[in-house]
């Protein structure tokens, strides 16, 4: 079996106590990791390690460094982590996504952007901007928390080849972080170093070595290499035409996947998990769609939290409000983006009612 081929962590000769002695303090920790982890589960995972040397403490470290309530609280060190530590990861996925992993249920994919209904007709007074992103990891390479310098540099070499071919039909340019800062210096833009949280958990080790950004000439697509995952495609727009952003990501993701496969570096896929990436929060489709909106009345309303829960949306507040999908698994890419489009349209309708001091009970969706 796959699990049987993995190394026992005793071969690593780790100097540590018993599981009871090593069990982490989870007081005040509100991550999904902390919700599912107890001494019994910790003991079961304690003496396991993947072939690349990922142990259970490596996986839960992010949640110990950042115990916030919205965090998933763990990161896989490689694709094998999801198999070897499946008892833990399956429960985290269920807690975060409200989705039960079942071996015989295959994660479906739909990157046909024509299947998305609407998303190009938001009221610009309320809907300000949008972004669609998708992440992928490459087969047989460790994920960012555990990757070596050599692996990271190999991945950059592969990306350079793939993106050079992509640029032949969709012109763009690849920048190292130093080149990017030099290019943007005249515009007064300097790329900040990664946040300390990413440094603490090892994602940003050796920064900026082998990190890069490809930007299309028309500005509709950016592709990050070796950041929080091996590859991240992002389409950001200064309007709320999420349909266009979704199309830009889908079209070029399909092309990039074919190019990586041609180079014998396919993206990691497991039938019951979908696209396998470092964070369980992005497993399945790897996709996040967000729309930034102005909702001053609704934002202060006591029923907002319940509304967001029903619509399966997450809200990040600044001077405006960024709404995005909560789940990334159990639905297709089109279905997840449709959920955001439909949810935002409904919230804008409710905001307009509130401006007139009108009731909006007739607009409320059923509890999901």
């Amino acid at each position: 079996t796959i699990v049987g081929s993995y190394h026992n962590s005793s071969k690593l000769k780790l100097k540590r106590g018993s599981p009871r002695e090593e069990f982490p303090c989870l007081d005040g920790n509100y991550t999904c990791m902390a919700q599912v982890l107890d001494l019994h589960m910790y003991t079961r995972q304690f003496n396991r390690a993947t072939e690349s040397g990922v142990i259970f403490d490596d996986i839960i470290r992010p949640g110990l460094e950042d115990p916030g309530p919205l965090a998933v609280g763990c990161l896989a060190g490689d694709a094998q982590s999801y198999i070897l530590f499946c008892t833990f990861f399956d429960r985290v996925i269920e807690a975060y996504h409200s989705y039960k992993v079942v071996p015989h249920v295959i994660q479906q994919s739909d990157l046909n952007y024509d299947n998305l209904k609407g998303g190009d007709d938001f009221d610009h007074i309320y809907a300000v901007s949008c972004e669609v992103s998708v992440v992928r990891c490459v087969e047989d390479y460790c994920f960012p928390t555990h990757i070596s310098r050599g692996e990271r540099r190999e991945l950059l070499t592969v990306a350079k080849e793939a993106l050079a071919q992509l640029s032949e039909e969709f012109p763009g340019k690849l920048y190292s972080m130093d080149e990017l800062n030099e290019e943007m210096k005249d515009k007064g833009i300097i790329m900040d170093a990664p946040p300390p949280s990413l440094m603490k958990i090892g994602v940003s080790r050796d920064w900026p070595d082998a990190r890069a950004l490809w930007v299309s000439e028309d500005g509709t697509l950016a592709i990050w290499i070796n950041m929080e995952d091996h590859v991240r495609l992002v389409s950001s727009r200064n309007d709320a035409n999420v349909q266009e952003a979704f199309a830009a990501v889908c079209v070029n993701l399909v092309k990039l996947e074919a190019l990586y496969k041609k180079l014998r570096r396919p993206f990691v896929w497991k039938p019951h998990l979908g696209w396998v990436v470092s964070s369980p929060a992005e497993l399945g489709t790897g996709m996040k769609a967000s729309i930034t909106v102005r909702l001053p009345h609704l934002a202060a309303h006591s029923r907002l939290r319940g509304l967001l829960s029903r619509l399966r949306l997450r809200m990040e507040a600044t001077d405006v409000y960024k709404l995005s999908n909560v789940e990334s698994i159990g639905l297709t890419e089109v279905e997840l983006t449709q959920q955001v489009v439909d949810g935002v349209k409904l919230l804008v309708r409710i905001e307009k009612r509130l401006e007139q001091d009108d009731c909006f009970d007739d607009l409320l969706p059923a509890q999901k």
Side-chain angles (χ1 to χ4, degrees), residues 160-176:
K160 285 179 177 177
E161 292 184 46
L163 291 170
Q165 293 181 56
L166 180 67
S167 296
E168 290 175 6
E169 54 179 292
F170 185 40
K173 183 177 179 181
L174 184 67
Y175 299 89
S176 68

Side-chain angles (χ1 to χ4, degrees), residues 64-298:
L64 301 176
E65 297 286 356
D66 180 14
L70 293 179
V72 70
C74 54
L75 291 172
D78 55 20
Q80 293 175 333
S81 300
Y82 285 105
I83 306 300
L84 188 63
F85 304 109
C86 63
T87 306
F88 168 76
F89 272 119
D90 288 357
R91 287 191 60 190
V92 168
I93 291 165
E94 186 173 355
Y96 188 87
H97 296 282
S98 301
Y99 175 82
K100 190 171 182 62
V101 177
V102 182
H104 64 271
V105 176
I106 297 174
Q107 168 66 33
Q108 300 298 314
S109 180
D110 182 3
L111 292 171
N112 184 349
Y113 55 89
D114 286 332
N115 289 338
L116 182 67
K117 308 303 178 187
D120 60 347
D121 55 352
F122 286 105
D123 188 330
H124 68 274
I125 294 174
Y126 300 91
V128 179
S129 61
C130 66
E131 181 177 290
V132 176
S133 67
V134 66
V135 293
R136 292 289 186 265
C137 282
V138 180
E139 191 80 58
D140 295 329
Y141 287 86
C142 289
F143 295 168
T145 56
H146 197 69
I147 197 168
S148 69
R149 298 181 191 91
E151 281 185 301
R152 197 186 298 119
R153 290 165 186 165
E154 278 185 32
L155 284 171
L156 178 58
T157 299
V158 174
K160 285 179 177 177
E161 292 184 46
L163 291 170
Q165 293 181 56
L166 180 67
S167 296
E168 290 175 6
E169 54 179 292
F170 185 40
K173 183 177 179 181
L174 184 67
Y175 299 89
S176 68
M177 292 299 99
D178 288 340
E179 290 169 340
L180 190 62
N181 276 331
E182 190 64 32
E183 180 87 6
M184 298 297 170
K185 190 164 59 176
D186 293 340
K187 301 176 183 177
I189 300 172
I190 298 295
M191 280 287 297
D192 292 330
S197 59
L198 293 184
M199 198 65 76
K200 282 181 184 178
I201 61 177
V203 169
S204 300
R205 285 172 295 123
D206 312 305
W207 181 267
D209 184 49
R211 274 73 172 197
L213 172 66
W214 182 92
V215 183
S216 65
E217 278 187 8
D218 64 5
T220 60
L221 187 70
I223 302 176
W224 292 96
I225 304 299
N226 288 329
M227 302 297 275
E228 293 175 61
D229 277 288
H230 296 160
V231 181
R232 181 182 291 271
L233 288 78
V234 184
S235 182
S236 303
R237 295 182 62 90
N238 292 325
D239 58 28
N241 193 336
V242 74
Q243 192 176 84
E244 289 293 329
F246 183 67
V249 166
C250 291
V251 167
N252 291 290
L253 176 60
V254 170
K255 292 177 182 177
L256 202 62
E257 182 188 349
L259 290 169
Y260 269 75
K261 194 175 290 186
K262 181 180 173 184
L263 294 168
R264 298 182 181 179
R265 296 294 185 271
F267 297 144
V268 190
W269 166 266
K270 305 291 181 189
H272 68 297
L273 296 175
W275 297 106
V276 177
V277 295
S278 61
S279 175
E282 297 184 307
L283 199 72
T285 60
M287 181 162 283
K288 182 176 182 180
S290 63
I291 301 172
T292 303
V293 292
R294 298 186 183 96
L295 301 170
H297 294 81
L298 184 55

